[in-house]
């Protein structure tokens, strides 16, 4: 009778959560893709679930700036096949901008609390959505030679509306996500 010797697995202290941000981001972006695919447009406008989800991930994991840009590039790549936009490849520029803005805001020392409620998720989502959306529509305007009136009176209001929707969504989903995935202390 042969006996098997057990293997001993050693985990070095401080290394166990090194890639936690990748797992949290991947799960949240997967949820974002599903929500983007099933959410109907109301008056031609849908929430940008992917921005909301990467803002939640960045708020939870407090990634560095290079990691945030990586999250934005992955989000841009994911967006291309599911985008309804005229120029989906603009996501490769707009999503890293939004993710970087989110990381910059997360790492500021400004208090973003109202009473005992942390408003950082809402604020980062709103500003990141505007940064990403503004980058996206500016690329569209330049590449497609769109008139300034279309840019200012049709596209910019959509970006601001989506930012408002993302503010609410991100704030509402942040706290359940924090309970589920944990998060670094504020």
């Amino acid at each position: 009778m042969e006996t098997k010797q057990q293997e001993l697995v050693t985990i070095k202290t401080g290394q166990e959560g090194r890639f936690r941000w990748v797992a949290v981001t991947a799960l949240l972006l997967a949820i974002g893709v599903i929500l983007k695919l099933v959410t109907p447009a109301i008056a031609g406008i849908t929430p940008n679930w992917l921005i909301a989800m990467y803002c939640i991930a960045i708020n939870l994991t407090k990634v560095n700036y290079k990691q945030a840009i990586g999250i934005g590039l992955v989000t841009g790549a994911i967006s291309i096949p599911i985008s309804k936009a005229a120029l989906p490849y603009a996501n490769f520029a707009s999503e890293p901008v939004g993710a970087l803005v989110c990381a910059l805001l997360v790492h500021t020392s400004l208090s973003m609390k109202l009473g005992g409620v942390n408003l950082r998720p809402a604020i980062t989502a709103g500003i990141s959505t505007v940064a990403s959306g503004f980058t996206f529509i500016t690329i569209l305007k330049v590449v497609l030679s769109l008139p300034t009136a279309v840019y200012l009176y049709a596209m910019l209001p959509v970006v601001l509306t989506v930012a408002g929707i993302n503010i609410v969504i991100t704030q509402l989903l942040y706290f359940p996500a924090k309970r589920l995935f944990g998060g670094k202390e504020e």
Side-chain angles (χ1 to χ4, degrees):
M1 181 182 223
E2 198 175 309
T3 60
K4 284 189 173 182
Q5 190 158 357
Q6 290 183 345
E7 282 187 42
L8 182 62
V9 177
T10 306
I11 298 175
K12 296 178 185 175
T13 306
Q15 298 293 316
E16 53 274 342
R18 201 167 120 205
F19 296 107
R20 177 182 163 275
W21 69 273
V22 175
V24 169
T25 303
L27 288 169
L28 287 170
L29 287 179
I31 292 167
V33 167
I34 293 166
L35 290 171
K36 185 172 177 110
L37 289 172
V38 300
T39 303
I42 298 173
I45 298 174
T46 57
N48 192 322
W49 289 103
L50 292 171
I51 293 176
M53 292 302 163
Y54 73 59
C55 285
I56 291 170
I58 292 170
N59 272 279
L60 287 173
T61 60
K62 313 278 191 274
V63 296
N64 64 41
Y65 304 123
K66 285 190 342 187
Q67 291 166 331
I69 291 169
I71 289 170
L73 288 170
V74 168
T75 304
I78 291 169
S79 297
I80 290 170
I82 61 174
S83 177
K84 298 166 192 142
L87 187 64
Y89 293 103
N91 286 304
F92 271 132
S94 66
E95 297 304 347
V97 168
L100 180 60
V101 166
C102 184
L104 287 167
L105 292 168
V106 164
H107 290 291
T108 63
S109 59
L110 297 172
S111 175
M112 296 186 193
K113 292 187 178 190
L114 182 61
V117 179
N118 179 12
L119 295 177
R120 190 177 303 268
I123 293 167
T124 58
I127 295 172
S128 297
T129 303
V130 169
S132 175
F134 183 74
T135 302
F136 189 88
I137 65 171
T138 301
I139 291 169
L140 276 179
K141 182 194 180 328
V142 171
V143 171
L144 301 178
S145 300
L146 297 174
T148 303
V150 170
Y151 178 76
L152 292 175
Y153 303 117
M155 294 165 53
L156 195 55
V158 170
V159 169
L160 297 175
T161 303
V162 171
I165 294 167
N166 275 7
I167 286 170
V168 174
I169 288 170
T170 304
Q171 188 67 31
L172 290 174
L173 294 180
Y174 174 75
F175 295 106
K178 186 171 180 168
R179 277 194 295 269
L180 181 64
F181 295 116
K184 292 186 180 181
E185 290 306 311
E186 325 244 330

